[in-house]
Amino acid sequence: MPDTSEAPLAAPPDRPRRLVYLGTPEVAVPPLRALHAAGFEIALVVTRPDRRRGRGSATSPSPVKAAALDLGLAVEHDLARVAEVGADLGVVVAYGRIIPRPVLEVLAMVNIHFSLLPRWRGAAPVERALLAGDRRTGVCLMEVAEGLDTGGVYASVETEITPDDTLESLRGRLVDLGTELLVGRLREGLGPAVPQAGEPTYAAKLDPAEYGIDWSRSAREIAALVRLGGAHTTWRGKRLKVWAAHVGDDVSRADGDEFAGDGSPDSVVPGTVLTVPAVEGVVVATGDHPLVLTTLQPEGKARQDARAWRNGAHLVAGDRLGS
């Protein structure tokens, strides 16, 4: 019989000094720079290969690779190299690839995950927390296990999700909190990892189609989508991006407009412009309450105040978005 037993995963030292860093996008740059500034020896940085970013055919390095080269650090795209540099620990931040078990058997790794595990395991924890209307979230410093975000948690920190938070603002705050948590625990000692407790939820990466506004959904759900950036609808056959909006629960039958009902499906068709004059933006019916659009971007043009857009578009109550 062949021996199918697996070697145990490597265990991290309590106070590692020599690191391998695995990361790719911009959010993974601040932790790398903070570890370097704190005096940790970064033996190798592993990141995803160069690729085409934006227009044109030329390739460019990932933000982490650019930062690593700026710091004078060795960079690799081959994950197998992590076992060859004599590191104490691997630090993973948004690397973008599952770490295979054979690598974890050789080198223990920790990960900064941007949620309070086990809620929102997966690729898009910040986006899913905003879409779900979560009131709080946080960062976990966790061990990298074979399963998706299933490892024990060394430490965590919580933060409130405010009504004004966008994806950009919330993610920036979480990166700052996670960077401080990472550097602090590596300095003071990791201690034991505590197994995750509770019912897990999963944060799948958003499909581009999810950014299209379905006006039959609730105003809260559409406002949450807008907070991610890139939400869009159509107006007269052209794409219209919505960059800022809020639930207009105090908007009622304004100006005697025949379309200015309470925004419910019983009064108007979702996507209908409810009222135009004397409001701060463009008020649109949804599946429940009205939604006030305040910053828009017509196709091929810059972002603009919604009132400026509606005046230029000669919008009238009863017009429909998304049709």
Side-chain angles (χ1 to χ4, degrees):
M1 292 289 289
D3 182 6
T4 58
S5 61
E6 295 178 321
L9 300 186
D14 194 50
R15 295 174 185 269
R17 293 302 307 166
R18 184 174 169 84
L19 308 176
V20 169
Y21 190 86
L22 298 90
T24 298
E26 192 64 42
V27 295
V29 171
L32 172 63
R33 290 191 177 278
L35 289 169
H36 183 266
F40 288 94
E41 183 183 357
I42 302 172
L44 183 66
V45 173
V46 182
T47 188
R48 302 291 286 160
D50 298 2
R51 64 177 178 83
R52 189 166 63 85
R53 303 170 198 277
R55 297 179 178 177
S57 58
T59 60
S60 60
S62 74
V64 162
K65 181 176 181 178
L69 294 176
D70 180 55
L71 294 170
L73 301 174
V75 179
E76 263 289 347
H77 301 138
D78 184 358
L79 188 58
R81 285 293 317 282
V82 302
E84 302 172 2
V85 295
D88 303 327
L89 183 72
V91 175
V92 184
V93 183
Y95 173 53
R97 180 180 168 188
I98 299 293
I99 311 295
R101 182 180 180 93
V103 175
L104 298 175
E105 291 175 356
V106 176
L107 181 65
M109 297 195 184
V110 297
N111 172 230
I112 295 178
H113 186 78
F114 299 112
S115 79
L116 296 175
L117 293 167
R119 186 163 178 79
W120 301 132
R121 293 174 177 172
V126 188
E127 291 90 335
R128 295 298 175 188
L130 284 169
L131 286 175
D134 289 0
R135 300 291 182 87
R136 67 185 185 95
T137 185
V139 184
C140 287
L141 178 62
M142 58 176 294
E143 60 184 354
V144 178
E146 196 172 5
L148 178 64
D149 299 328
T150 56
V153 175
Y154 294 105
S156 64
V157 60
E158 295 186 19
T159 186
E160 179 186 2
I161 301 178
T162 73
D164 294 329
D165 266 326
T166 62
L167 176 63
E168 183 179 11
S169 68
L170 179 58
R171 189 155 53 192
R173 191 160 71 251
L174 292 172
V175 169
D176 290 344
L177 292 170
T179 299
E180 183 177 358
L181 186 69
L182 171 70
V183 174
R185 291 309 294 257
L186 293 191
R187 275 178 167 165
E188 298 163 8
L190 279 170
V194 178
Q196 298 177 28
E199 187 67 26
T201 59
Y202 291 91
K205 184 178 179 180
L206 269 75
D207 186 279
E210 291 185 75
Y211 288 92
I213 295 175
D214 177 355
W215 292 105
S216 68
R217 300 183 73 97
S218 72
R220 187 207 65 76
E221 290 174 310
I222 298 172
L225 180 66
V226 170
R227 294 163 78 184
L228 300 187
H232 56 83
T233 184
T234 54
W235 164 247
R236 292 178 179 169
K238 292 189 176 181
R239 178 166 293 201
L240 179 68
K241 289 186 177 179
V242 181
W243 288 104
H246 61 83
V247 178
D249 54 2
D250 57 345
V251 176
S252 62
R253 295 178 182 279
D255 307 318
D257 196 311
E258 63 178 307
F259 294 99
D262 61 7
S264 70
D266 293 336
S267 60
V268 288
V269 175
T272 300
V273 175
L274 293 175
T275 182
V276 171
V279 294
E280 62 180 298
V282 175
V283 185
V284 183
T286 71
D288 52 13
H289 301 287
L291 188 73
V292 182
L293 316 183
T294 57
T295 304
L296 298 169
Q297 183 178 11
E299 186 173 314
K301 297 184 179 180
R303 297 186 198 186
Q304 55 191 264
D305 180 276
R307 281 186 296 190
W309 174 77
R310 84 183 184 207
N311 292 336
H314 305 293
L315 200 71
V316 297
D319 282 343
R320 289 272 302 282
L321 300 182
S323 60

